[in-house]
Amino acid sequence: MSQTPNVDVAIIGGGPAGIALALTICLYSKLTVAVIEQTAYDNLRTGEHVSASLLPLLDYLQVKQPFLADNHTPVYNVAALWGHSELHSRPSIINQMGEGYLLDRTEFDAMLAEQLVRKGGQLYLETKCAEGEQLEGGGWRLFLKDNSGEYSQLETRYLVDATGRQARISKRLGAKSLACDTLVGISALLDFESDRSNTEEVLIESIPEGWWYSAWLPNGTLIVVLMTDIDIMRQGKLHKDKQWVELLSQATHTKQRVRGGQLVYPLAVKPSHSHVLDRAVGEDWMAIGDAAIAFDPLSSMGVGHAITCGCDAAVALVEYLINNEDRMLKQYQERLKLNFDNYLSIRHRYYALEQRWSDLPFWKRRTQSAPIPLTAE
Ligand SMILES: Cc1cc2nc3c(=O)[nH]c(=O)nc-3n(C[C@H](O)[C@H](O)[C@H](O)COP(=O)(O)OP(=O)(O)OC[C@H]3O[C@@H](n4cnc5c(N)ncnc54)[C@H](O)[C@@H]3O)c2cc1C
């Protein structure tokens, strides 16, 4: 009779957080890992502007050389219209560490996954975790389903939710997402026939309904994202091409960048709310990256934090699985809450710099002086 394969740690979600955790375990312990990823890294991935603080993290994960060999663009110039109508160039909106990179996110995530396999980690592509049951005496039996509809099983001592902002696994296990806004990003990709002119790589422009983000990607396309709240989007039908383009035509500087561009990717709506889980560690499971805590894209902190979080969680997990000591897991959980509180005050400060529309819903919600209510999803 064939035996069910088993690993020490199974991670659902092969984004930066999940792969960082898996790589850390492979590199710095003898524990075994498997990552279950629903795609084949062939989809459009958003979240490309990262600060220079990414490099030491990639060094720790021993992937800095392959990263530098890939096609990512250094960012020397981030410009913002925020709080006034003049264009101001800044090294970054929040991060003070100097110029960063514009990633080809699909290539970046795929590179991390490839390095994991080289370091001995298992990777299930185009596979989802359909069900899981907790085993008597600890651990899990997972029922996996791949894209062709084939089922397989995997046993694991510990389960990690790295599914991103939706926190699919943690919510199934009873955790609640405490969200402080309903921000969404409505994005499009634009292609240009002629070479782009020399211009800021990243531009942020505030508007009454929220703000525009646009950036030149390493492949020469321009990503343009409208960030607004979901009710404002629905009310103005801003997820429809016509209304989105109409609003764009009122954005003084962003509209100039898109001139001559052809839409190559239909509008996509991505949840972008800030949230923290009420509980990111449970019995033989934990959440990491955006699943555990997610920030406003304005901060450009998401990818760096996801990797840091994956590395930190791995260290706590190794101590738990080898020494049966959960002290670091508890500290991990407490740190998430502290990080979120700190983040909220920074977020408040940055949104308060924009006072021109302080009586309009998008800005009022973010700049009111009373503490922001966290609502469970
Ligand atoms: C519009 C927008 C703009 C952003 N801009 C920036 C930016 O400029 N800079 C920045 O640093 N961050 C940005 N972010 C945030 C950044 O994208 C995230 O913080 C980062 O990707 C989090 O990494 P993660 O690994 O936690 O989650 P993700 O990157 O979301 O990865 C989750 C992975 O899990 C997989 N998955 C999900 N469900 C399942 C399942 N059931 N089974 C198997 N696999 C599953 C997904 O396919 C994916 O590979 C932005 C986010 C948005 C929405």
Side-chain angles (χ1 to χ4, degrees), residues 144-301:
L144 309 179
K145 189 180 176 191
D146 69 20
N147 272 6
S148 64
E150 286 283 310
Y151 279 90
S152 60
Q153 292 184 24
L154 177 69
E155 284 185 7
T156 183
R157 291 171 67 194
Y158 206 93
L159 180 62
V160 178
D161 178 5
T163 56
R165 213 173 285 249
Q166 306 285 14
R168 290 198 172 91
I169 306 295
S170 308
K171 285 184 190 164
R172 269 205 247 167
L173 293 171
K176 288 194 170 52
S177 161
L178 305 174
C180 64
D181 59 53
T182 61
L183 191 70
V184 285
I186 309 146
S187 59
L189 276 185
L190 298 165
D191 211 358
F192 291 79
E193 266 176 23
S194 55
D195 272 355
R196 67 186 168 96
S197 57
N198 266 345
T199 173
E200 292 79 17
E201 283 87 1
V202 175
L203 174 67
I204 288 162
E205 181 169 5
S206 56
I207 56 167
E209 296 81 0
W211 48 278
W212 287 98
Y213 163 90
S214 56
W216 291 102
L217 298 179
N219 64 3
T221 56
L222 182 73
I223 183 164
V224 184
V225 190
L226 168 65
M227 306 298 310
T228 189
D229 285 334
I230 197 155
D231 58 331
I232 300 173
M233 177 190 89
R234 286 188 182 134
Q235 217 174 4
K237 298 193 169 56
L238 300 174
H239 51 306
K240 307 273 185 204
D241 289 6
K242 184 169 164 268
Q243 284 82 351
W244 188 88
V245 169
E246 214 166 274
L247 195 66
L248 180 61
S249 69
Q250 296 161 28
T252 332
H253 282 71
T254 310
K255 79 170 177 206
Q256 286 171 16
R257 303 186 105 193
V258 302
R259 224 168 254 158
Q262 297 288 327
L263 212 64
V264 285
Y265 202 84
L267 291 186
V269 181
K270 297 253 174 181
S272 308
H273 56 277
S274 300
H275 91 120
V276 65
L277 284 185
D278 67 339
R279 167 168 84 92
V281 179
E283 196 187 338
D284 291 336
W285 70 268
M286 74 190 307
I288 62 168
D290 271 16
I293 176 174
F295 307 114
D296 191 311
L298 180 64
S299 68
S300 292
M301 277 163 54

Side-chain angles (χ1 to χ4, degrees), residues 12-18 36-39 41 45-50 105 109 127-129 162-165 168 185 213 225 227 270-272 288-291 297 300-304 306:
I12 317 291
I36 293 111
E37 165 58 38
Q38 67 183 0
T39 70
Y41 295 104
R45 291 176 174 241
T46 40
E48 55 285 322
H49 181 214
V50 292
R105 262 304 291 278
D109 288 14
T127 304
K128 279 187 176 181
C129 177
T163 56
R165 213 173 285 249
R168 290 198 172 91
Y213 163 90
V225 190
M227 306 298 310
K270 297 253 174 181
S272 308
I288 62 168
D290 271 16
S300 292
M301 277 163 54
V303 173

Side-chain angles (χ1 to χ4, degrees), residues 348 352 355 363-373:
H348 180 271
Q355 289 292 325
W363 297 96
K364 203 169 176 178
R365 288 165 187 165
R366 286 160 176 82
T367 51
Q368 58 197 4
S369 47
I372 299 156

Side-chain angles (χ1 to χ4, degrees), residues 28-45:
Y28 302 107
S29 84
K30 291 192 162 47
L31 298 176
T32 53
V33 296
V35 171
I36 293 111
E37 165 58 38
Q38 67 183 0
T39 70
Y41 295 104
D42 49 4
N43 57 331
L44 176 73
R45 291 176 174 241

